[in-house]
Amino acid sequence: MNKVLVLHGPNLNLLGTRQPEIYGSETLNDINNALYEKAAMNGWDVTCRQSNHEGELIDAIHAARVDGTAAIIINPAAYTHTSVAILDALNAFDGTVIEVHLSNVHKRESFRHHSYVSLRADGVIAGLGSQGYLAALDSLIRGAG
């Protein structure tokens, strides 16, 4: 069975209530449940984790290196623009990495236009809301990721 790790970065636990005009009204549980359902229907195993702590995200990436995880879908949130440490951890992961952002970061503040994670990502999806996560998973299922 193909294993995928979905990592949600800081403040994404507030989805549904935090700036819904930017991030939408779906909760993190809504997004995770849609991923679990799509994965199960296609014979894939998805694990979803959220953390507001950089080190916990890095520890999850390190664990994925050795537990048979084939791909990581990551929304690093604010760490996108600041974390060389997450980039370094992803560079040590041999599988596919897809970076996802709910909003179109290129239509927002200029500091959001740079992503350290994109330097490692095999694909980047931005601006599709929660559908971006499903598009990332679909890409993996279809073998495009």
Side-chain angles (χ1 to χ4, degrees):
M1 182 174 285
N2 291 308
K3 290 177 64 169
V4 178
L5 174 63
V6 179
L7 291 176
H8 307 284
N11 299 310
L12 293 174
N13 57 305
L14 301 176
L15 286 176
T17 60
R18 174 183 172 236
Q19 296 177 284
E21 68 280 3
I22 295 174
Y23 301 110
S25 59
E26 290 180 285
T27 67
L28 192 59
N29 281 338
D30 294 335
I31 292 169
N32 289 343
N33 287 335
L35 289 166
Y36 294 139
E37 183 178 327
K38 183 175 193 70
M41 289 173 45
N42 289 280
W44 283 58
D45 178 34
V46 169
T47 300
C48 297
R49 295 189 56 188
Q50 186 278 330
S51 181
N52 295 317
H53 305 282
E54 185 178 35
E56 288 182 16
L57 296 169
I58 292 166
D59 288 345
I61 295 165
H62 289 180
R65 293 181 64 224
V66 296
D67 71 1
T69 296
I72 295 173
I73 297 171
I74 183 169
N75 182 344
Y79 290 136
T80 302
H81 324 292
T82 63
S83 184
V84 173
I86 289 176
L87 170 62
D88 287 348
L90 290 170
N91 279 334
F93 176 73
D94 290 332
T96 301
V97 175
I98 301 178
E99 179 182 357
V100 173
H101 298 283
L102 295 165
S103 68
N104 181 350
V105 293
H106 302 288
K107 288 180 71 175
R108 299 186 61 198
E109 305 93 339
S110 62
F111 74 86
R112 296 185 193 276
H113 299 177
H114 177 264
S115 168
Y116 283 104
V117 172
S118 290
L119 296 171
R120 168 56 181 91
D122 298 293
V124 179
I125 300 170
L128 298 181
S130 65
Q131 292 301 307
Y133 287 99
L134 294 171
L137 181 58
D138 189 55
S139 174
L140 295 169
I141 291 167
R142 294 175 183 265

